[in-house]
Amino acid sequence: MLNFIVRRVLQIPVVMLVLSLMIVGLTQLLTPEQRAAPYIKSEQAAARLEQIIEQRGLRDPFPVQYGRWLSATLQGDLGYSKASSQDVITTIGERLPRTLELTIVTAIPILLLSIWLGTLSALHKDKLIDQVLRVLVVLGYSLPSFVVGILMLAVFYAYLGWLPGAGQVSVLNTFALGDLQRYTGLLSLDAALNGRWDIAWDVIQHLILPAATLVIVLSASIIKVMRNNMLEALTSDYVRTARAKGLSSRVVNNKHARRNALLSIVTLGGFLIIGLLSGSLITETIFAYPGVGQWVVQAAIGVDLAAVLGFAMLSAVIVVVVSTIVDILYGVIDPRVRFD
């Protein structure tokens, strides 16, 4: 396994180089004038459009432009984001922990709930609880995240007034954030470590609606796959053999059937975490949650190429790292998997 991990780590620079070539290459589909737009911040700058294009080398051959971008990137300079009015690397550093916080409070309930409900549905095949869960799964498939998000806001924020509707923290607590000592970058945890439980609870309340929206929408597919995998495992030869040996149903279901049914869930869980860490674009936008997803939507609308490129590279890193972790987990869950 150690050799496998070393090989995958050594592959990361090669993969990132190829991806960066493709991503930067796609920007060449835009004209130099369009690529110069983020640098124009006033009427005076607009009058100097050609000068800006020449200064930025936007008419240079692609290899020259790519080499200049790669050199700056290796030095930690991903450019300036017009959408956030600051450097791209600074924006990512500020917003990624917020998206990570939302990912944690979303991914854990999704995976635990989906595995439990999928198993429950399979063990009670064609009974009432199975029929109810299958209907709920279809509803989860059918409802887009923006519909669920708007319904959540309409009911729990606008009508009942139980939960806040937008942002990461209330306006009153915003002024106290500057006094917090940051340890982890996760605002709820840092607030708790500073003894500001009021701020920590405020942050958690702001996370409930976007997290609930994502749980409802994203759980459906995992529940369905878990149910199908469990049904297949329950009819397999090794499960019948385990029952013939006199093992209890609990041991057979949990140790033998469910463990083998989890293999494809590991893959789905990896894709889930990749999607959440890359920013849940629609959900973060609906709830005005200041994470990576909301920023990249604003950047895309404003043709903020530096921000889009930075986000694309961030997503590529997340994909490569999470994929490696998923491959390692395969061997942990299923001893038959070998890393040759």
Side-chain angles (χ1 to χ4, degrees):
M1 183 181 290
L2 180 60
N3 290 334
F4 169 79
I5 296 174
V6 171
R7 287 200 307 270
R8 290 301 296 266
V9 170
L10 293 177
Q11 289 173 2
I12 291 177
V14 179
V15 173
M16 295 304 300
L17 183 64
V18 174
L19 288 173
S20 66
L21 274 167
M22 295 172 60
I23 293 167
V24 177
L26 287 173
T27 65
Q28 300 302 303
L29 297 176
L30 299 174
T31 65
E33 289 76 13
Q34 289 173 319
R35 284 181 279 133
Y39 304 109
I40 298 175
K41 304 170 186 175
S42 64
E43 293 183 5
Q44 291 79 5
R48 297 185 296 104
L49 177 61
E50 283 300 324
Q51 183 181 350
I52 291 174
I53 291 175
E54 291 300 323
Q55 288 177 344
R56 299 287 176 175
L58 299 180
R59 296 192 193 279
D60 292 343
F62 172 68
V64 175
Q65 293 188 48
Y66 176 75
R68 187 164 51 240
W69 176 86
L70 182 61
S71 175
T73 300
L74 292 177
Q75 297 175 40
D77 180 11
L78 292 175
Y80 180 83
S81 172
K82 189 176 180 181
S84 62
S85 301
Q86 58 186 1
D87 292 339
V88 171
I89 194 70
T90 303
T91 304
I92 292 176
E94 288 182 358
R95 289 179 175 262
L96 185 58
R98 300 167 187 165
T99 296
L100 176 60
E101 197 164 18
L102 178 60
T103 298
I104 292 172
V105 300
T106 301
I108 293 175
I110 286 177
L111 292 174
L112 293 180
L113 191 65
S114 299
I115 292 171
W116 175 58
L117 292 179
T119 303
L120 188 66
S121 182
L123 294 177
H124 298 83
K125 183 176 180 294
D126 295 331
K127 295 182 180 178
L128 177 61
I129 189 169
D130 182 37
Q131 300 291 347
V132 171
L133 287 174
R134 287 162 70 180
V135 170
L136 293 177
V137 165
V138 172
L139 287 174
Y141 266 123
S142 305
L143 292 174
S145 58
F146 68 88
V147 173
V148 178
I150 292 172
L151 288 174
M152 287 284 188
L153 284 172
V155 174
F156 295 102
Y157 170 64
Y159 182 69
L160 297 175
W162 290 353
L163 294 167
Q168 186 189 23
V169 67
S170 64
V171 176
L172 293 177
N173 284 326
T174 301
F175 301 103
L177 297 183
D179 299 328
L180 293 180
Q181 183 71 32
R182 297 302 179 97
Y183 300 103
T184 65
L186 307 179
L187 185 55
S188 59
L189 183 56
D190 287 342
L193 293 174
N194 279 269
R196 291 300 305 268
W197 295 99
D198 56 328
I199 297 179
W201 175 237
D202 187 24
V203 174
I204 292 172
Q205 285 183 306
H206 279 80
L207 286 169
I208 292 175
L209 288 184
T213 299
L214 292 169
V215 169
I216 292 171
V217 174
L218 300 178
S219 294
S221 59
I222 303 180
I223 292 173
K224 182 178 180 180
V225 172
M226 185 64 193
R227 177 185 182 275
N228 292 339
N229 289 352
M230 195 68 182
L231 288 174
E232 183 179 351
L234 289 171
T235 58
S236 61
D237 292 337
Y238 59 85
V239 168
R240 284 195 290 267
T241 302
R243 294 190 190 280
K245 289 181 179 180
L247 296 178
S248 65
S249 296
R250 182 177 180 179
V251 172
V252 172
N253 294 336
N254 294 335
K255 185 176 180 180
H256 296 276
R258 184 160 63 182
R259 183 171 182 176
N260 285 276
L262 286 174
L263 280 176
S264 59
I265 302 301
V266 172
T267 303
L268 288 177
F271 285 125
L272 169 70
I273 292 172
I274 287 171
L276 291 173
L277 283 177
S278 297
S280 302
L281 310 187
I282 296 175
T283 303
E284 287 191 6
T285 301
I286 290 174
F287 291 97
Y289 188 80
V292 173
Q294 186 200 40
W295 167 59
V296 78
V297 168
Q298 295 171 347
I301 293 173
V303 197
D304 188 350
L305 291 182
V308 173
L309 283 173
F311 171 76
M313 295 307 298
L314 171 66
S315 299
V317 171
I318 292 172
V319 169
V320 172
V321 172
V322 174
S323 297
T324 302
I325 295 173
V326 167
D327 289 341
I328 294 171
L329 287 176
Y330 268 165
V332 175
I333 295 176
D334 188 352
R336 296 172 297 179
V337 176
R338 292 292 178 265
F339 301 101
D340 298 324

